[in-house]
């Protein structure tokens, strides 16, 4: 856990800090390795980050964009994580199409789409598991992260990198990276904002502080972020 767990006063300063840190890490990594491979989070917290990134000078040709999870809806659907990122960032910047790796959603055959995306990931990463330069994650009120929801099958996956995951509360499938394919990232940033996240964050920190876990109930407990971006409201300090 990064040495400073100081909560940000509000979500806006949290989002600005993620944006600044993203730019710094991307520049540094491209200088060192010539490429920066990032897995994006869906949800509402990172949207403003993506919007602010679109106003920055970045080595766009050397950055590859992947999704850590996706909803089982077409890319032009309001719930699509692809659409959210496209609207906030990708449509505003001249990014080579070959650098944008959207989940090839297939509403009627999610298992096939998940296998196809896993192959795309394996084409880009040849280590046992993908060594992302940056893994952006959020945490749900129910302590899910990516689309690894409580009491779902994907929680136990140890070999696959990317799977379809049946989520009873949505009566539908989601697509998600598996834990091993998240934990292999060089940098894992957990963004958690808002009062509604207090319980989930408390459980996630329980693991950090005491090692106590109930992964089926609190999937976020399995994640060991290299950096936490939390706000006072999520910490109950607002
Ligand atoms: C998704 C996300 C999900 C998200 C959390 C937090 O597709 O919904 O990837 O894991 O990060 O639900 O979402 P908020 O940022 O909206 O609180």
């Amino acid at each position: 856990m990064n040495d400073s767990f100081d909560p940000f006063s509000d979500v806006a300063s949290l989002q600005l800090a993620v944006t600044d840190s993203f730019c710094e890490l991307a520049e540094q990594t491209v200088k060192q390795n010539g490429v920066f491979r990032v897995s994006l989070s869906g949800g509402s917290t990172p949207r403003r980050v993506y919007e602010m990134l679109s106003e920055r000078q970045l080595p766009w040709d050397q950055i590859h964009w992947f999704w850590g999870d996706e909803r089982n809806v077409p890319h032009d659907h309001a719930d699509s994580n692809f659409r959210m990122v496209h609207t906030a960032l990708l449509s505003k910047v001249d990014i080579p199409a070959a650098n944008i790796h959207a989940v090839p959603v297939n509403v009627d055959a999610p298992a096939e789409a998940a296998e196809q995306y896993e192959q795309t990931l394996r084409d880009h990463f040849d280590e046992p598991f993908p060594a992302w330069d940056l893994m952006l994650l959020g945490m749900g009120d129910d302590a899910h992260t990516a689309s690894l929801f409580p009491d779902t099958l994907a929680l136990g996956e140890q070999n696959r990198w990317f799977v379809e995951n049946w989520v009873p509360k949505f009566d539908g499938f989601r697509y998600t990276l598996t834990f091993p394919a998240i934990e292999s990232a060089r940098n894992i940033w957990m963004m958690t904002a808002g009062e509604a996240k207090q319980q989930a964050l408390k459980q996630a920190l329980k693991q950090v502080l005491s090692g106590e876990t109930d992964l089926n109930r609190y999937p976020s407990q399995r994640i060991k972020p290299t950096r936490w971006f939390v706000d006072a409201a999520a910490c109950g300090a607002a």
Side-chain angles (χ1 to χ4, degrees):
M1 182 163 91
N2 63 319
D3 46 15
S4 67
F5 190 72
D6 309 340
F8 293 88
S9 53
D10 54 32
V11 67
S13 48
L14 180 158
Q15 291 160 328
L16 180 57
V18 175
T19 306
D20 292 343
S21 304
F22 183 110
C23 295
E24 207 181 306
L25 182 65
E27 294 281 359
Q28 221 177 63
T29 309
V30 166
K31 250 195 217 109
Q32 270 162 20
N33 311 334
V35 66
F36 182 68
R37 297 170 295 185
V38 56
S39 173
L40 302 171
S41 172
S44 58
T45 309
R47 183 199 317 264
R48 184 75 195 110
V49 173
Y50 304 144
E51 286 167 354
M52 288 191 275
L53 286 176
S54 74
E55 295 148 11
R56 302 288 178 98
Q57 299 300 322
L58 281 169
W60 300 111
D61 293 353
Q62 277 94 11
I63 302 178
H64 282 256
W65 310 85
F66 299 85
W67 277 256
D69 73 318
E70 184 55 285
R71 290 85 181 278
N72 194 27
V73 293
H75 285 165
D76 60 0
H77 188 284
D79 293 345
S80 163
N81 283 340
F82 171 79
R83 177 175 146 166
M84 183 269 284
V85 179
H86 187 264
T87 309
L89 169 63
L90 306 175
S91 59
K92 300 175 183 168
V93 182
D94 185 16
I95 295 174
N99 291 27
I100 300 171
H101 310 282
V103 177
V105 170
N106 182 336
V107 176
D108 304 320
E112 282 169 32
E115 271 171 29
Q116 201 183 327
Y117 199 57
E118 173 150 346
Q119 193 47 55
T120 299
L121 299 181
R122 287 180 185 272
D123 295 343
H124 278 270
F125 298 96
D126 51 15
E127 299 85 352
F129 285 104
W132 308 94
D133 297 302
L134 177 59
M135 169 68 52
L136 286 178
L137 290 173
M139 185 188 298
D141 311 1
D142 60 359
H144 79 264
T145 189
S147 279
L148 294 161
F149 285 84
D151 301 313
T152 58
L153 214 51
L155 296 177
E157 180 56 54
Q158 290 307 317
N159 302 307
R160 292 280 307 274
W161 294 11
F162 192 83
V163 293
E164 75 289 359
N165 194 23
W166 178 260
V167 184
K169 75 172 185 179
F170 301 134
D171 194 28
F173 281 99
R174 284 278 192 106
Y175 300 93
T176 187
L177 286 171
T178 59
F179 279 127
I182 288 174
E183 291 163 339
S184 51
R186 296 196 178 102
N187 296 284
I188 302 175
W189 296 354
M190 179 63 84
M191 303 170 285
T192 309
E195 208 174 325
K197 304 293 170 65
Q198 285 180 11
Q199 193 47 33
L201 182 60
K202 205 162 130 222
Q203 293 299 337
L205 293 179
K206 220 186 242 179
Q207 187 280 328
V208 177
L209 301 170
S210 69
E212 212 186 306
T213 58
D214 181 351
L215 295 178
N216 249 342
R217 256 181 99 196
Y218 308 111
S220 291
Q221 284 182 334
R222 168 101 180 241
I223 305 293
K224 294 181 181 49
T226 55
R227 289 189 73 176
W228 288 88
F229 291 88
V230 299
D231 74 352
C235 293

